[in-house]
Amino acid sequence: MEDLSYLSCPNPAQLRYKSINEVLHERTMESPDKEIVIQRSIGGGRRSLTYRELLNRSTGIAKYLVTKGIGAGDRVAIIGPNSNEWIIAEFAIFLTGAVAVPINKTSESVPEMMKLLKASQSKAVLFDPESDEEFMSEMDASFNSDEDKLDVLLLQKSALSFLPSLNDVTITTNETSIVLPRIQPESSAMIYTTSGSTGVPKMVEMTHLAIVNASYIAYLGTGGDRPSAKCYNDGLFTWIGGSPIFSILNGNARVFADIAIGLKKEQLMAVWNIIISEQCTNAIFFPHTVLDLIENQDDILKKGYKMYAIATGGQMINKHLSEVCGKLTEKLFLDYGSTEAGIVSFTELKLETDVGYVGPLFPGYEVKVIGDNDDTLTRGHLGEILIKSPFMLKSYRNAYKLNEECFTDGGWFRTGDIGIITMEGRLFVKGKSTDVIKRGGVTVLASVVETAMIQLPEVREIVVLAVPDVRLFEEICACVVLEVDSNITEVELDRKCRMTLGDNVLGSAPSYLLRFDAFPRLRNGKSDKVLIKKLAMERLKFD
């Protein structure tokens, strides 16, 4: 009888039945003066936090939040760029027993952020307006007009606002005696917010138990489990792959800079200089950054520095990336996972690695492949990948229908990925079953771009597609049919898109705009997206 498409990797170690708060205290007791996070800037600026500083400052903020009525189970949002202050605020939220809700300022409009705040039922907001006067003004207006008044605390003092900041927080003698609660490991710790294809926010709820145990899994196989490991990762703190929690709990120093630096090709050498000056042993890079390293390896090699390992992932990977091995890094690892599932598996990427192979499972994970009737397929057949693990999401918060759709009997989670388990027991991922476009590590939903652009008065019809890109692997192409009387230029249309969707780096604006006189149709009257993509590829001269 043929084996079924099922794999498991039992966890040989007992689960760490602890909260994030308990592990932070343990780490502080073990290494109070260890620098655990280092914030760098291109100009040479350096700001760090030791475990002792992190615990002391976050404890003070936590007690302040308690005086404002924040307690166990409340949701507290964080909005702003990566910073040490963000990290302090996030751990302060954990210490109160509340649930942190990170929201990405750079890719969401103010109305969209307010929608997320309402959907998450956040009771307070900790945010950093930077020097963005327009953003601060819009946020102030939104806060003042909101029926449910939120407590607001700035992550950093700003001349743009009279609101209190972390630096202004002082507590009285009586308030210093506040005893922060002990948190049960099964309690919710974090809600990562995403957007569904309908534009409705999806809120991925994670427990303390899942995050504590995933913190070790996140660094297995990349050299991060070594005591001297120091990892460069400039991913956004709002993304699970960029979250600072895992390295802090695992005891590995995290070095970061503004994510915009890493996304700019011309700043590559500045990033490498930071890596050298901090003596980073590891890095987590988007695939396009690895391609940039290859393109500039002659200049980088002159620096005479080589890391132990680079980890990448988030999309289908070209084996060409392995060119960095032996030159700029000893090893290159490909991680497979998602916000909901965590890191499920990894493989060392080499020239001989089969395309789509994602490697062995991490301890504590089970995977199976099912068919249309939800039965587990026999090995060698293509189907939907399901996973199960104590490290994955607790649920989608306040989303009964979505949970019903995404979870099956027995606690299995539908990943939305299509794949196959071979006769030899190897897991391959073949693609997505949704309309997600992954541009250099930034996830963009085609339907969100379509919904935004169809609101423009000049646009009659629109189809948004993923097209290949040498550097970012995928790019966004918007195919439009304009109104008959419209004389809008491509430059003006691009400007309007960017006003609504942001830029084409961290935002969702398309990089290609193609005008059609009319779209080809299917028999049911709908646009023939397959033929439209074929025509777009021909016009863009892609093979």
Side-chain angles (χ1 to χ4, degrees):
M1 184 178 293
E2 291 181 297
D3 288 336
L4 293 174
S5 294
Y6 169 84
L7 297 172
S8 71
C9 184
N11 193 348
Q14 183 175 337
L15 286 178
R16 290 190 286 177
Y17 190 70
K18 297 178 179 180
S19 69
I20 291 170
N21 306 348
E22 288 174 301
V23 178
L24 176 61
H25 278 89
E26 288 177 358
R27 291 293 183 189
T28 304
M29 289 289 290
E30 293 167 1
S31 309
D33 298 318
K34 177 176 179 176
E35 285 188 329
I36 193 60
V37 287
I38 299 106
Q39 181 178 359
R40 293 297 307 266
S41 63
I42 289 299
R46 187 182 194 275
R47 302 168 61 228
S48 67
L49 285 173
T50 65
Y51 275 117
R52 191 200 309 272
E53 290 168 337
L54 174 58
L55 180 58
N56 288 344
R57 293 184 64 183
S58 59
T59 298
I61 301 301
K63 291 183 177 182
Y64 172 81
L65 291 174
V66 169
T67 68
K68 294 296 183 180
I70 302 300
D74 290 331
R75 271 75 64 200
V76 180
I78 315 180
I79 303 171
N82 292 2
S83 69
N84 286 350
E85 286 71 24
W86 171 292
I87 297 169
I88 293 166
E90 190 164 57
F91 276 89
I93 295 169
F94 297 146
L95 289 170
T96 67
V99 182
V101 185
I103 296 175
N104 182 14
K105 165 184 177 283
T106 53
S107 65
E108 303 285 357
S109 66
V110 170
E112 193 67 23
M113 284 189 289
M114 295 304 294
K115 184 168 69 172
L116 289 172
L117 289 174
K118 287 183 178 297
S120 64
Q121 299 174 317
S122 291
K123 191 173 180 180
V125 183
L126 310 177
F127 84 107
D128 182 359
E130 300 178 89
S131 57
D132 191 335
E133 189 170 350
E134 183 179 354
F135 172 72
M136 185 69 242
S137 176
E138 287 186 58
M139 289 298 284
D140 267 342
S142 297
F143 289 144
N144 291 329
S145 64
D146 191 41
E147 294 178 1
D148 303 316
K149 295 298 182 183
L150 296 168
D151 281 313
V152 182
L153 185 66
L154 299 182
L155 294 178
Q156 302 193 63
K157 197 168 185 65
S158 172
L160 303 176
S161 175
F162 294 106
L163 290 168
S165 71
L166 296 188
N167 294 332
D168 298 325
V169 168
T170 57
I171 53 179
T172 66
T173 303
N174 289 337
E175 290 168 348
T176 58
S177 63
I178 292 173
V179 178
L180 297 173
R182 181 169 187 174
I183 307 304
Q184 294 297 310
E186 291 92 349
S187 299
S188 295
M190 179 79 75
I191 297 174
Y192 288 100
T193 54
T194 63
S195 293
S197 58
T198 61
V200 177
K202 286 196 289 186
M203 295 179 286
V204 180
E205 190 166 2
M206 308 291 288
T207 66
H208 282 259
L209 183 69
I211 291 172
V212 164
N213 286 277
S215 66
Y216 180 61
I217 293 296
Y219 284 83
L220 274 176
T222 63
D225 53 330
R226 302 185 302 175
S228 60
K230 181 185 278 191
C231 183
Y232 180 87
N233 179 359
D234 59 15
L236 282 174
F237 289 175
T238 53
W239 303 341
I240 196 166
S243 173
I245 302 172
F246 301 106
S247 58
I248 291 170
L249 298 184
N250 199 44
N252 299 131
R254 161 79 177 269
V255 180
F256 68 94
D258 186 342
I259 187 174
I261 296 169
L263 290 175
K264 293 177 180 176
K265 195 173 182 180
E266 62 271 18
Q267 297 284 11
L268 182 66
M269 293 307 297
V271 169
W272 197 257
N273 286 334
I274 291 173
I275 287 170
I276 294 173
S277 65
E278 292 294 340
Q279 294 291 288
C280 294
T281 57
N282 302 71
I284 298 175
F285 285 137
F286 292 126
H288 65 79
T289 304
V290 181
L291 277 177
D292 292 343
L293 291 173
I294 293 170
E295 187 177 325
N296 293 274
Q297 62 181 306
D298 289 343
D299 290 334
I300 295 172
L301 285 170
K302 293 175 184 177
K303 298 284 185 176
Y305 189 78
K306 181 170 65 176
M307 287 188 290
Y308 171 70
I310 292 174
T312 191
Q315 57 200 47
M316 302 300 283
I317 302 297
N318 192 315
K319 290 185 291 185
H320 173 60
L321 298 184
S322 63
E323 281 188 32
V324 297
C325 295
K327 299 175 182 177
L328 311 181
T329 179
E330 292 181 30
K331 298 177 183 293
L332 176 65
F333 291 99
L334 169 64
D335 294 330
Y336 167 62
S338 65
T339 299
E340 292 90 340
I343 301 178
V344 177
S345 66
F346 81 101
T347 185
E348 186 177 348
L349 195 63
K350 301 178 179 179
L351 279 175
E352 60 269 24
T353 303
D354 294 323
V355 176
Y357 177 58
V358 295
L361 304 182
F362 277 121
Y365 278 93
E366 299 174 72
V367 169
K368 67 177 179 178
V369 178
I370 64 170
D372 293 337
N373 60 359
D374 285 359
D375 287 340
T376 305
L377 299 171
T378 54
R379 290 190 176 184
H381 290 84
L382 193 68
E384 184 182 2
I385 298 172
L386 274 62
I387 67 102
K388 184 162 68 170
S389 170
F391 314 140
M392 68 182 191
L393 78 163
K394 177 181 180 180
S395 66
Y396 290 111
R397 192 176 185 91
N398 297 335
Y400 176 80
K401 185 177 180 181
L402 185 60
N403 285 322
E404 205 172 44
E405 293 171 353
C406 294
F407 288 91
T408 68
D409 292 339
W412 288 92
F413 176 73
R414 297 179 183 272
T415 65
D417 292 331
I418 303 300
I420 190 170
I421 295 176
T422 67
M423 300 301 290
E424 298 77 27
R426 303 173 78 215
L427 176 63
F428 285 77
V429 177
K430 298 296 186 180
K432 300 290 293 184
S433 59
T434 61
D435 65 347
V436 170
I437 301 172
K438 291 196 172 182
R439 173 166 60 188
V442 177
T443 298
V444 178
L445 293 169
S447 57
V448 171
V449 181
E450 290 174 347
T451 300
M453 291 189 66
I454 201 65
Q455 303 302 318
L456 299 176
E458 298 86 359
V459 176
R460 183 181 182 88
E461 293 183 83
I462 181 166
V463 171
V464 172
L465 308 163
V467 295
D469 184 84
V470 174
R471 179 169 176 263
L472 301 178
F473 291 86
E474 282 189 328
E475 258 295 1
I476 301 170
C477 174
C479 302
V480 297
V481 176
L482 299 178
E483 295 290 352
V484 176
D485 59 351
S486 173
N487 58 3
I488 190 170
T489 64
E490 183 176 326
V491 172
E492 180 63 9
L493 183 59
D494 180 61
R495 187 187 68 80
K496 287 192 172 186
C497 286
R498 289 169 181 258
M499 287 177 61
T500 305
L501 295 163
D503 62 18
N504 64 344
V505 178
L506 291 178
S508 303
S511 293
Y512 300 102
L513 290 167
L514 296 180
R515 180 174 177 175
F516 285 69
D517 293 328
F519 286 150
R521 303 284 181 186
L522 297 170
R523 288 186 178 180
N524 61 8
K526 292 183 178 181
S527 300
D528 186 345
K529 291 189 177 183
V530 174
L531 182 53
I532 292 170
K533 183 164 186 175
K534 180 176 180 295
L535 295 171
M537 296 280 281
E538 289 174 355
R539 287 174 61 177
L540 293 170
K541 295 182 169 51
F542 289 129
D543 294 331

